[in-house]
Amino acid sequence: MAAAVVEGVVAELEQCQEQIAELTEQEANELGHSAGEQIAAAVAWSRIVGDRLDTSEVARMLGVTRQALAKRQRSGSLLGLRGRATTWFPVWQFDTRERCVRPVTADLIAAFREHLGDVDPVLVASWATTAQDEDLGGATPSEWIESRPDHRRLIESAHRATARLAQ
């Protein structure tokens, strides 16, 4: 897998060889470290919150503006995580075939807000990618959303988890 990442980076760098040749050694070193940090951050985010889409991708998929996405986040019908120069939206909250936000998303966010108030979206996203052995038979909430039409147990699991966190 690391080889594929390196191949992708090299392919991008080959397209701008002339500009790279004009950099000082220090500038090149700083850019290399910055690129490495961005790759490492993307891997870490993916481990914590699962697959995600950026603001532009979600706005295009839903056919709405960035402002509409921000309004949905504030209202609790969409989960967005602040990133560098964008907001990241966990994929599990979307029905990508129907190009819409799954209604259960608002119910999950509401469960977290009910017990924890103004909750950090990273907490909700990381809960959604963590196996819930007791409540969901070892499935993660994101897997449950994808595979089961009845979300009652999922919402109950969110309430139990947030009630424990609120103690």
Side-chain angles (χ1 to χ4, degrees), residues 88-152:
W88 294 105
F89 298 90
V91 171
W92 54 260
Q93 64 188 326
F94 302 106
D95 181 330
T96 54
R97 277 176 278 157
E98 296 294 324
R99 302 174 66 87
C100 66
V101 179
R102 297 176 192 273
V104 70
T105 301
D107 296 334
L108 289 173
I109 294 169
F112 275 78
R113 286 181 172 181
E114 179 181 324
H115 295 279
L116 301 173
D118 190 21
V119 67
D120 183 349
V122 175
L123 177 63
V124 180
S126 63
W127 173 82
T129 59
T130 302
Q132 303 299 312
D133 296 328
E134 186 178 315
D135 294 333
L136 304 178
T140 67
S142 61
E143 292 166 342
W144 191 271
I145 290 168
E146 286 286 329
S147 64
R148 294 179 178 80
D150 179 16
H151 295 129
R152 199 171 6 165

Side-chain angles (χ1 to χ4, degrees), residues 40-52 125-126 129-130:
V43 169
W45 270 93
S46 185
R47 281 197 183 126
I48 294 169
V49 302
D51 293 336
R52 65 214 191 289
S126 63
T129 59
T130 302

